[in-house]
């Protein structure tokens, strides 16, 4: 089993930045990929960013491309999500996820549904 623990959420004004971190443990080496998805109240889960642990290849949702950056530290089984230019539309619970997507194109849809996930960290952006 994989255990994931997120940190770094909080409240920020529009235009501000936050950095989320996720530490993996357990059978993390059996996963190919770690990433983040978010879920706002009443909304579906949205995969937003992912990184392949061996290659470093990344995938971003259009909604965050150019504003968010995902990175990894394999030695620490940790991924980070640097979030810049935040807007109220980014307000959501953010979850770290890990898994083995069947292919690259399905990464952001696979992780929120089939990946192991943490407890989540709240991000609130005020106008």
């Amino acid at each position: 089993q994989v255990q994931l623990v997120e940190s770094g959420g909080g409240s920020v004004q529009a235009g501000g930045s936050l950095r989320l971190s996720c530490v993996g443990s357990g059978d993390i080496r059996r996963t190919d990929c770690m990433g983040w998805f978010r879920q706002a109240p009443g909304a579906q889960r949205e995969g937003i960013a992912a990184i392949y642990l061996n290659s470093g290849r990344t995938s971003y949702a259009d909604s965050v491309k150019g504003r968010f950056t995902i990175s990894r530290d394999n030695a620490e089984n940790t991924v980070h999500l640097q979030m810049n230019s935040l807007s109220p539309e980014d307000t959501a619970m953010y979850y770290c996820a890990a898994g083995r997507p069947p292919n690259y194109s399905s990464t952001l849809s696979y992780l929120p549904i089939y990946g192991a996930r943490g407890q989540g960290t709240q991000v609130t952006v005020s106008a």
Side-chain angles (χ1 to χ4, degrees):
Q1 290 186 340
V2 174
Q3 291 81 44
L4 303 168
V5 178
E6 305 97 335
S7 62
S11 297
V12 66
Q13 289 189 326
S17 299
L18 284 173
R19 186 174 189 242
L20 307 183
S21 295
C22 171
V23 179
S25 61
D27 290 336
I28 195 69
R29 297 185 186 277
R30 296 172 66 90
T31 65
D32 286 338
C33 180
M34 292 178 68
W36 296 86
F37 69 92
R38 65 188 181 186
Q39 188 167 25
Q44 292 186 335
R45 297 177 183 179
E46 178 190 17
I48 57 172
I51 188 165
Y52 280 80
L53 300 180
N54 287 332
S55 67
R57 191 179 186 185
T58 57
S59 179
Y60 294 97
D62 288 343
S63 57
V64 306
K65 199 171 294 184
R67 301 187 299 123
F68 292 9
T69 303
I70 190 169
S71 60
R72 77 197 195 287
D73 181 345
N74 286 352
E76 300 292 333
N77 291 334
T78 300
V79 294
H80 305 284
L81 186 68
Q82 178 66 42
M83 306 187 295
N84 298 329
S85 302
L86 286 162
S87 72
E89 289 70 33
D90 295 313
T91 295
M93 185 71 80
Y94 283 68
Y95 297 89
C96 181
R100 299 174 66 94
N103 51 62
Y104 175 78
S105 62
S106 69
T107 300
L108 295 182
S109 59
Y110 176 93
L111 286 179
I113 299 173
Y114 300 108
R117 66 182 175 106
Q119 294 297 308
T121 185
Q122 178 67 37
V123 171
T124 302
V125 185
S126 58

